[in-house]
Tab-separated table of all heavy atoms in Angstrom:
chain	number	residue	atom	x	y	z
R	225	VAL	N	103.448	92.296	94.067
R	225	VAL	CA	103.620	93.447	95.006
R	225	VAL	C	104.145	94.685	94.251
R	225	VAL	O	103.640	95.710	94.380
R	225	VAL	CB	104.530	93.030	96.107
R	225	VAL	CG1	105.010	94.267	96.944
R	225	VAL	CG2	103.849	92.119	97.055
R	226	ILE	N	105.103	94.435	93.385
R	226	ILE	CA	105.612	95.545	92.538
R	226	ILE	C	104.543	96.094	91.557
R	226	ILE	O	104.436	97.314	91.503
R	226	ILE	CB	106.886	95.136	91.752
R	226	ILE	CG1	107.994	94.814	92.771
R	226	ILE	CG2	107.311	96.095	90.693
R	226	ILE	CD1	109.268	94.141	92.133
R	227	PHE	N	103.882	95.184	90.921
R	227	PHE	CA	102.843	95.606	89.984
R	227	PHE	C	101.794	96.469	90.699
R	227	PHE	O	101.369	97.500	90.244
R	227	PHE	CB	102.076	94.394	89.355
R	227	PHE	CG	102.694	94.054	88.014
R	227	PHE	CD1	103.882	93.509	87.850
R	227	PHE	CD2	101.963	94.231	86.877
R	227	PHE	CE1	104.393	93.138	86.682
R	227	PHE	CE2	102.357	93.830	85.663
R	227	PHE	CZ	103.618	93.277	85.533
R	228	ILE	N	101.291	95.958	91.860
R	228	ILE	CA	100.196	96.641	92.543
R	228	ILE	C	100.663	97.991	93.038
R	228	ILE	O	99.961	99.031	92.887
R	228	ILE	CB	99.724	95.747	93.773
R	228	ILE	CG1	99.088	94.532	93.248
R	228	ILE	CG2	98.851	96.541	94.748
R	228	ILE	CD1	98.771	93.448	94.313
R	229	GLY	N	101.914	98.093	93.559
R	229	GLY	CA	102.447	99.333	94.041
R	229	GLY	C	102.679	100.266	92.991
R	229	GLY	O	102.256	101.483	93.074
R	230	VAL	N	103.302	99.913	91.855
R	230	VAL	CA	103.573	100.895	90.699
R	230	VAL	C	102.264	101.327	90.024
R	230	VAL	O	102.071	102.468	89.792
R	230	VAL	CB	104.467	100.187	89.694
R	230	VAL	CG1	104.611	100.986	88.446
R	230	VAL	CG2	105.845	100.012	90.363
R	231	ILE	N	101.327	100.341	89.811
R	231	ILE	CA	100.100	100.740	89.120
R	231	ILE	C	99.280	101.652	89.978
R	231	ILE	O	98.714	102.654	89.580
R	231	ILE	CB	99.286	99.454	88.787
R	231	ILE	CG1	99.949	98.606	87.780
R	231	ILE	CG2	97.857	99.883	88.347
R	231	ILE	CD1	100.228	99.299	86.386
R	232	THR	N	99.284	101.341	91.279
R	232	THR	CA	98.560	102.276	92.258
R	232	THR	C	99.194	103.679	92.294
R	232	THR	O	98.512	104.633	92.285
R	232	THR	CB	98.430	101.667	93.629
R	232	THR	OG1	97.765	100.369	93.529
R	232	THR	CG2	97.656	102.537	94.579
R	233	PHE	N	100.547	103.680	92.348
R	233	PHE	CA	101.240	105.004	92.279
R	233	PHE	C	100.799	105.830	91.085
R	233	PHE	O	100.447	106.956	91.189
R	233	PHE	CB	102.749	104.767	92.303
R	233	PHE	CG	103.520	106.077	92.038
R	233	PHE	CD1	103.660	106.962	93.055
R	233	PHE	CD2	103.976	106.342	90.780
R	233	PHE	CE1	104.308	108.184	92.824
R	233	PHE	CE2	104.634	107.509	90.559
R	233	PHE	CZ	104.786	108.444	91.477
R	234	MET	N	100.897	105.144	89.945
R	234	MET	CA	100.603	105.916	88.635
R	234	MET	C	99.144	106.332	88.659
R	234	MET	O	98.861	107.497	88.317
R	234	MET	CB	100.901	104.947	87.439
R	234	MET	CG	102.342	104.774	87.298
R	234	MET	SD	102.880	103.881	85.707
R	234	MET	CE	101.689	102.579	85.656
R	235	LEU	N	98.244	105.413	88.969
R	235	LEU	CA	96.789	105.793	88.935
R	235	LEU	C	96.443	106.834	90.016
R	235	LEU	O	95.548	107.710	89.729
R	235	LEU	CB	95.945	104.578	89.016
R	235	LEU	CG	95.960	103.664	87.779
R	235	LEU	CD1	95.107	102.414	87.982
R	235	LEU	CD2	95.463	104.442	86.509
R	236	SER	N	97.038	106.731	91.195
R	236	SER	CA	96.690	107.714	92.226
R	236	SER	C	97.228	109.118	91.863
R	236	SER	O	96.574	110.123	92.129
R	236	SER	CB	97.304	107.257	93.559
R	236	SER	OG	96.694	106.036	93.991
R	237	THR	N	98.470	109.123	91.327
R	237	THR	CA	99.029	110.364	90.872
R	237	THR	C	98.159	110.980	89.769
R	237	THR	O	97.796	112.202	89.867
R	237	THR	CB	100.436	110.163	90.403
R	237	THR	OG1	101.259	109.582	91.463
R	237	THR	CG2	101.130	111.501	89.976
R	238	ALA	N	97.761	110.206	88.866
R	238	ALA	CA	96.916	110.685	87.706
R	238	ALA	C	95.523	111.018	88.342
R	238	ALA	O	94.907	112.048	87.923
R	238	ALA	CB	96.815	109.652	86.686
R	239	GLY	N	94.991	110.309	89.316
R	239	GLY	CA	93.777	110.544	89.881
R	239	GLY	C	93.676	111.911	90.506
R	239	GLY	O	92.637	112.651	90.463
R	240	ALA	N	94.746	112.357	91.228
R	240	ALA	CA	94.783	113.701	91.911
R	240	ALA	C	94.630	114.715	90.807
R	240	ALA	O	93.915	115.700	90.996
R	240	ALA	CB	96.010	113.759	92.730
R	241	LYS	N	95.412	114.590	89.768
R	241	LYS	CA	95.393	115.574	88.682
R	241	LYS	C	94.015	115.543	87.990
R	241	LYS	O	93.438	116.665	87.740
R	241	LYS	CB	96.517	115.305	87.615
R	241	LYS	CG	97.899	115.693	88.137
R	241	LYS	CD	98.044	117.128	88.520
R	241	LYS	CE	98.329	117.975	87.291
R	241	LYS	NZ	98.529	119.463	87.627
R	242	ILE	N	93.550	114.432	87.654
R	242	ILE	CA	92.190	114.323	87.065
R	242	ILE	C	91.127	114.948	87.943
R	242	ILE	O	90.248	115.696	87.444
R	242	ILE	CB	91.844	112.854	86.720
R	242	ILE	CG1	92.745	112.320	85.577
R	242	ILE	CG2	90.389	112.610	86.344
R	242	ILE	CD1	92.719	110.868	85.387
R	243	GLY	N	91.092	114.648	89.220
R	243	GLY	CA	90.171	115.177	90.149
R	243	GLY	C	90.239	116.714	90.164
R	243	GLY	O	89.253	117.396	90.213
R	244	ASN	N	91.378	117.288	90.140
R	244	ASN	CA	91.651	118.683	90.104
R	244	ASN	C	91.079	119.334	88.874
R	244	ASN	O	90.571	120.402	88.851
R	244	ASN	CB	93.142	118.998	90.319
R	244	ASN	CG	93.449	120.445	90.584
R	244	ASN	OD1	93.963	121.175	89.800
R	244	ASN	ND2	93.000	120.961	91.736
R	245	ILE	N	91.267	118.656	87.743
R	245	ILE	CA	90.805	119.202	86.503
R	245	ILE	C	89.304	118.884	86.137
R	245	ILE	O	88.588	119.828	85.816
R	245	ILE	CB	91.664	118.560	85.286
R	245	ILE	CG1	93.115	118.993	85.487
R	245	ILE	CG2	91.158	119.023	83.963
R	245	ILE	CD1	94.096	118.345	84.628
R	246	PHE	N	88.857	117.693	86.368
R	246	PHE	CA	87.532	117.285	85.941
R	246	PHE	C	86.538	117.126	87.072
R	246	PHE	O	85.351	117.000	86.773
R	246	PHE	CB	87.586	116.023	85.208
R	246	PHE	CG	88.364	116.069	83.926
R	246	PHE	CD1	89.651	115.401	83.784
R	246	PHE	CD2	87.950	116.753	82.820
R	246	PHE	CE1	90.362	115.532	82.650
R	246	PHE	CE2	88.682	116.855	81.676
R	246	PHE	CZ	89.864	116.283	81.529
R	247	GLY	N	86.902	117.114	88.267
R	247	GLY	CA	86.079	116.938	89.417
R	247	GLY	C	85.790	115.462	89.712
R	247	GLY	O	86.472	114.546	89.273
R	248	ALA	N	84.706	115.183	90.417
R	248	ALA	CA	84.359	113.789	90.887
R	248	ALA	C	83.555	113.016	90.020
R	248	ALA	O	82.972	112.001	90.307
R	248	ALA	CB	83.617	113.983	92.227
R	249	LYS	N	83.531	113.432	88.675
R	249	LYS	CA	82.690	112.740	87.675
R	249	LYS	C	82.899	111.222	87.548
R	249	LYS	O	81.994	110.407	87.377
R	249	LYS	CB	82.845	113.372	86.353
R	249	LYS	CG	81.963	112.806	85.286
R	249	LYS	CD	82.162	113.641	83.898
R	249	LYS	CE	81.319	113.003	82.881
R	249	LYS	NZ	81.561	113.760	81.592
R	250	TYR	N	84.157	110.792	87.703
R	250	TYR	CA	84.536	109.373	87.473
R	250	TYR	C	84.796	108.540	88.693
R	250	TYR	O	85.133	107.407	88.626
R	250	TYR	CB	85.676	109.244	86.532
R	250	TYR	CG	85.445	109.998	85.177
R	250	TYR	CD1	86.030	111.233	84.852
R	250	TYR	CD2	84.595	109.372	84.244
R	250	TYR	CE1	85.707	111.813	83.636
R	250	TYR	CE2	84.311	109.993	83.021
R	250	TYR	CZ	84.877	111.198	82.739
R	250	TYR	OH	84.596	111.814	81.523
R	251	LYS	N	84.686	109.145	89.893
R	251	LYS	CA	85.004	108.521	91.116
R	251	LYS	C	84.207	107.210	91.342
R	251	LYS	O	84.721	106.195	91.524
R	251	LYS	CB	84.825	109.432	92.297
R	251	LYS	CG	85.058	108.873	93.667
R	251	LYS	CD	84.817	109.897	94.730
R	251	LYS	CE	85.094	109.309	96.092
R	251	LYS	NZ	83.941	108.577	96.622
R	252	GLY	N	82.916	107.298	91.232
R	252	GLY	CA	82.022	106.170	91.416
R	252	GLY	C	82.199	105.079	90.332
R	252	GLY	O	82.224	103.916	90.697
R	253	LYS	N	82.440	105.483	89.147
R	253	LYS	CA	82.619	104.532	88.067
R	253	LYS	C	83.982	103.824	88.280
R	253	LYS	O	84.048	102.579	87.967
R	253	LYS	CB	82.644	105.317	86.705
R	253	LYS	CG	81.289	105.831	86.313
R	253	LYS	CD	81.329	106.639	85.060
R	253	LYS	CE	79.983	107.232	84.899
R	253	LYS	NZ	79.906	108.284	83.855
R	254	ALA	N	84.995	104.449	88.788
R	254	ALA	CA	86.286	103.779	89.003
R	254	ALA	C	86.112	102.709	90.091
R	254	ALA	O	86.644	101.561	89.960
R	254	ALA	CB	87.356	104.858	89.422
R	255	GLU	N	85.414	103.062	91.195
R	255	GLU	CA	85.184	102.077	92.254
R	255	GLU	C	84.383	100.846	91.772
R	255	GLU	O	84.686	99.746	92.045
R	255	GLU	CB	84.538	102.758	93.436
R	255	GLU	CG	85.448	103.566	94.309
R	255	GLU	CD	84.793	104.018	95.576
R	255	GLU	OE1	83.618	104.491	95.523
R	255	GLU	OE2	85.435	104.008	96.589
R	256	PHE	N	83.374	101.132	91.007
R	256	PHE	CA	82.524	100.149	90.447
R	256	PHE	C	83.359	99.163	89.547
R	256	PHE	O	83.275	97.926	89.633
R	256	PHE	CB	81.404	100.658	89.664
R	256	PHE	CG	80.422	99.659	89.083
R	256	PHE	CD1	79.351	99.232	89.920
R	256	PHE	CD2	80.578	99.051	87.863
R	256	PHE	CE1	78.463	98.254	89.437
R	256	PHE	CE2	79.746	98.030	87.369
R	256	PHE	CZ	78.678	97.640	88.192
R	257	ALA	N	84.138	99.712	88.645
R	257	ALA	CA	85.000	98.956	87.705
R	257	ALA	C	86.021	98.123	88.563
R	257	ALA	O	86.226	96.961	88.281
R	257	ALA	CB	85.695	99.876	86.797
R	258	GLY	N	86.617	98.676	89.528
R	258	GLY	CA	87.526	97.956	90.317
R	258	GLY	C	86.966	96.831	91.082
R	258	GLY	O	87.445	95.646	91.148
R	259	GLY	N	85.696	96.941	91.620
R	259	GLY	CA	85.010	95.914	92.198
R	259	GLY	C	84.646	94.826	91.367
R	259	GLY	O	84.799	93.631	91.709
R	260	ALA	N	84.125	95.168	90.129
R	260	ALA	CA	83.821	94.190	89.150
R	260	ALA	C	84.999	93.333	88.768
R	260	ALA	O	84.952	92.077	88.549
R	260	ALA	CB	83.183	94.824	87.897
R	261	ILE	N	86.140	93.987	88.604
R	261	ILE	CA	87.387	93.315	88.214
R	261	ILE	C	87.756	92.261	89.233
R	261	ILE	O	88.065	91.104	88.906
R	261	ILE	CB	88.523	94.201	87.939
R	261	ILE	CG1	88.323	95.061	86.678
R	261	ILE	CG2	89.884	93.600	87.978
R	261	ILE	CD1	89.252	96.233	86.481
R	262	LEU	N	87.716	92.678	90.559
R	262	LEU	CA	88.005	91.787	91.617
R	262	LEU	C	87.067	90.543	91.708
R	262	LEU	O	87.522	89.430	91.887
R	262	LEU	CB	88.134	92.468	92.931
R	262	LEU	CG	89.240	93.484	93.031
R	262	LEU	CD1	89.208	94.241	94.475
R	262	LEU	CD2	90.540	92.903	92.899
R	263	ILE	N	85.790	90.717	91.553
R	263	ILE	CA	84.813	89.673	91.536
R	263	ILE	C	85.070	88.733	90.365
R	263	ILE	O	85.137	87.477	90.593
R	263	ILE	CB	83.327	90.218	91.434
R	263	ILE	CG1	83.051	90.866	92.794
R	263	ILE	CG2	82.397	89.097	91.219
R	263	ILE	CD1	81.777	91.630	92.761
R	264	LEU	N	85.243	89.285	89.192
R	264	LEU	CA	85.584	88.438	88.022
R	264	LEU	C	86.882	87.594	88.209
R	264	LEU	O	86.960	86.396	87.798
R	264	LEU	CB	85.625	89.178	86.745
R	264	LEU	CG	84.299	89.808	86.354
R	264	LEU	CD1	84.454	90.808	85.181
R	264	LEU	CD2	83.310	88.700	86.009
């Protein structure tokens, strides 16, 4: 629970900044990678 919460906090915070700077370029790739990780 702690790992999931802390990692999500860090990645979501970074994601907002990344989205503001770089746009939606990596949104689909992030979702794809997350899905593949869960399946594996």
